[in-house]
Amino acid sequence: MAELKLPELAEGVNEAVVSFWHFKEGDTVKEGDEVVEMATDKAAFNVPSKTAGTLKKIAANEGDTVKVGSVLAVIE
Amino acid sequence: MKPLSRFPSWLRRSVRFNKEIIETKTLLFEKNINTVCQSARCPNIHDCFSRKKCTFLILGNYCTRSCRFCAIETEKKLSPPDTKELFDIRDAVRDLGVRSVVITSVTRDDLEDGGAGHFADCIKILREAEILQPGVYPERSRRGLQDDQMGETTESSQSGHLNIEVLVPDFLGRKSSIERVVFARPDVFAHNIETVPRLYKEVRPQADYKRSLDVIRHAKGFSAEIVTKSGLMAGLGEDVDEVYGVMRDLKRAGCDIITIGQYLKPDTGCLDVKEFLHPSKFEQFSEWAKEIGFKKYNCSPFTRSSYLE
């Protein structure tokens, strides 16, 4: 099981908003697939999966503000 | 229905997870080196740090000016230039193993020479490292390294020469400061015009359009061989004809290379983006740059002075 956590998107930016998920729960993702788009005040960033597996759980909804280091999804 | 992102589809960056990013960040952190990549919260950082590329910020991390597009904090009383900063950068350049380096700074209106001497020292220290320790900057043939800096010539990247580009402030227009930097022989001398003249008051209240043009003009006049470069941001409320006017002015001032990118708001206190220009408008800028006769040009949403797409 791997948790996909929100990485630091730009220096000193400690939170970001979930724009949208490119996958839904139950979908199969490959390593490197861009799973979710996050937006900071400055730009939008696609966050890739570090592992291959099934997207078991989406832990942040579209529109939610998420802190850096928080779990976005669980992939196993 | 898919909810809308607050950014148009062409303004997406990809996050990367790799050891190079961690190595780059760790090295900068350990040496306490400032980069504009970090200070400006640049969205290209994942790409650049993955390739161990960064733009060094000298003369501290506070600025005497308060340009409204920039996230760097303003302070009136600042520390004097610190030579240690330059030796740390030299060591970082060696450790990163890069073949080209971009040095920029905050604006230091508090210093008599505006920090020009510190720029000159920086170039000298990097050049000395190159001469005294020929193995310090080994040959590299990593993909992308030779083309991603426009001032870099093919010969220089093949000969083991370290390509040094400086991106300087306007030094309040002091000719002696401009000359001091040019005399130190950087490969590229850059000064960004940033925006169109009509928006200077709002965007760069302590700067002056003509003075900035004259920085380029004087550098070129002082040394015809120096490669000059300037950049501007689009999306601050200018219209395209005004951009064309700036391009013409830069060319007349002796500017060789031009970059145009999308302005993105780095911090809550900064100016809002007035327009996200469609990539086709940047293609138009490239066409104009070619027509006007710039030697090199790069215009795209994520183009930055030291980031070319």
Side-chain angles (χ1 to χ4, degrees), chain A residues 4-5 7-13 17 19-22 34 37 39-50 62, chain B residues 2-7 11-17 25 37-43 45-46 264-266 268 302 304:
Chain A
L4 179 67
K5 292 180 180 173
E8 190 175 57
L9 300 175
E11 194 71 16
V13 174
V17 177
S19 300
F20 48 78
W21 288 91
H22 298 297
E34 292 179 331
E37 185 198 295
T40 68
D41 288 341
K42 191 158 184 174
F45 296 87
N46 277 314
V47 181
S49 174
K50 288 180 179 176
E62 288 163 355
Chain B
K2 217 172 193 185
L4 280 175
S5 169
R6 71 171 92 164
F7 295 97
L11 281 176
R12 297 275 167 287
R13 295 275 82 176
S14 292
V15 172
R16 313 256 176 93
F17 298 110
K25 280 192 177 182
C37 325
Q38 293 165 305
S39 297
R41 300 178 172 171
C42 183
I45 197 165
H46 303 273
L264 295 168
K265 183 180 177 176
T268 45
F302 281 113
R304 295 295 177 264

Side-chain angles (χ1 to χ4, degrees), chain B residues 20-75:
Chain B
E20 285 79 11
I21 292 183
I22 297 164
E23 284 167 6
T24 306
K25 280 192 177 182
T26 306
L27 190 133
L28 296 169
F29 178 78
E30 283 175 358
K31 295 192 193 297
N32 198 21
I33 290 172
N34 297 313
T35 64
V36 78
C37 325
Q38 293 165 305
S39 297
R41 300 178 172 171
C42 183
N44 299 334
I45 197 165
H46 303 273
D47 184 28
C48 294
F49 279 21
S50 294
R51 294 182 291 124
K52 302 210 164 178
K53 300 283 285 182
C54 58
T55 295
F56 296 103
L57 183 70
I58 61 171
L59 292 161
N61 201 20
Y62 294 96
C63 188
T64 49
R65 295 198 191 165
S66 48
C67 299
R68 301 276 319 279
F69 62 87
C70 178
I72 293 177
E73 285 179 51
T74 307
E75 286 281 344

Side-chain angles (χ1 to χ4, degrees), chain B residues 267-309:
Chain B
D267 208 354
T268 45
C270 295
L271 290 169
D272 286 330
V273 175
K274 298 281 195 309
E275 185 190 357
F276 291 115
L277 279 78
H278 190 269
S280 61
K281 287 198 177 163
F282 289 97
E283 285 167 22
Q284 174 74 75
F285 296 152
S286 292
E287 282 296 313
W288 286 343
K290 191 178 173 187
E291 278 170 30
I292 291 169
F294 284 96
K295 285 182 187 152
K296 290 177 184 172
Y297 48 86
N298 194 280
C299 313
S300 82
F302 281 113
T303 293
R304 295 295 177 264
S305 182
S306 47
Y307 184 87
L308 313 168
E309 283 202 313

Side-chain angles (χ1 to χ4, degrees), chain B residues 16-275:
Chain B
R16 313 256 176 93
F17 298 110
N18 56 51
K19 70 173 176 34
E20 285 79 11
I21 292 183
I22 297 164
E23 284 167 6
T24 306
K25 280 192 177 182
T26 306
L27 190 133
L28 296 169
F29 178 78
E30 283 175 358
K31 295 192 193 297
N32 198 21
I33 290 172
N34 297 313
T35 64
V36 78
C37 325
Q38 293 165 305
S39 297
R41 300 178 172 171
C42 183
N44 299 334
I45 197 165
H46 303 273
D47 184 28
C48 294
F49 279 21
S50 294
R51 294 182 291 124
K52 302 210 164 178
K53 300 283 285 182
C54 58
T55 295
F56 296 103
L57 183 70
I58 61 171
L59 292 161
N61 201 20
Y62 294 96
C63 188
T64 49
R65 295 198 191 165
S66 48
C67 299
R68 301 276 319 279
F69 62 87
C70 178
I72 293 177
E73 285 179 51
T74 307
E75 286 281 344
K76 291 294 171 207
K77 274 192 89 70
L78 300 176
S79 320
D82 182 1
T83 314
K84 182 180 177 295
E85 181 180 65
L86 308 181
F87 288 109
D88 287 342
I89 287 172
R90 176 198 64 186
D91 294 347
V93 168
R94 178 197 60 208
D95 293 351
L96 290 167
V98 288
R99 303 292 317 117
S100 63
V101 58
V102 185
I103 310 286
T104 190
S105 76
V106 292
T107 295
R108 291 294 301 265
D109 291 335
D110 59 317
L111 300 173
E112 209 167 300
D113 70 351
H118 202 58
F119 266 101
D121 289 347
C122 186
I123 296 165
K124 188 163 169 261
I125 285 166
L126 288 168
R127 291 272 185 252
E128 276 174 0
E130 201 178 6
I131 294 160
L132 297 175
Q133 301 167 42
V136 164
Y137 303 112
E139 287 295 323
R140 291 265 168 167
S141 58
R142 287 220 312 260
R143 191 169 57 88
L145 279 180
Q146 293 178 8
D147 299 322
D148 60 2
Q149 195 185 16
M150 284 193 297
E152 190 171 10
T153 60
T154 311
E155 306 90 82
S156 73
S157 41
Q158 285 172 353
S159 67
H161 170 78
L162 178 72
N163 194 84
I164 302 174
E165 174 172 328
V166 291
L167 170 63
V168 300
D170 65 21
F171 298 126
L172 291 171
R174 273 186 218 92
K175 290 185 174 173
S176 56
S177 290
I178 298 164
E179 290 165 13
R180 183 135 190 221
V181 176
V182 174
F183 194 69
R185 298 184 67 92
D187 294 277
V188 179
F189 177 96
H191 173 66
N192 284 343
I193 199 85
E194 308 290 11
T195 187
V196 302
R198 180 174 58 85
L199 296 176
Y200 257 58
K201 218 169 180 180
E202 190 185 358
V203 176
R204 307 181 70 197
Q206 299 108 321
D208 180 88
Y209 180 70
K210 185 175 176 302
R211 184 165 74 196
S212 276
L213 278 180
D214 285 344
V215 171
I216 296 288
R217 195 185 323 272
H218 192 66
K220 198 67 174 179
F222 185 68
S223 164
E225 297 92 62
I226 193 93
V227 176
T228 52
K229 178 173 170 182
S230 191
L232 67 156
M233 301 169 287
L236 283 160
E238 71 293 326
D239 65 48
V240 290
D241 293 340
E242 290 176 296
V243 174
Y244 186 78
V246 172
M247 293 168 86
R248 291 281 299 269
D249 288 347
L250 281 170
K251 177 64 187 167
R252 279 195 209 108
C255 181
D256 299 313
I257 304 174
I258 189 167
T259 59
I260 306 179
Q262 169 70 50
Y263 167 66
L264 295 168
K265 183 180 177 176
D267 208 354
T268 45
C270 295
L271 290 169
D272 286 330
V273 175
K274 298 281 195 309
E275 185 190 357

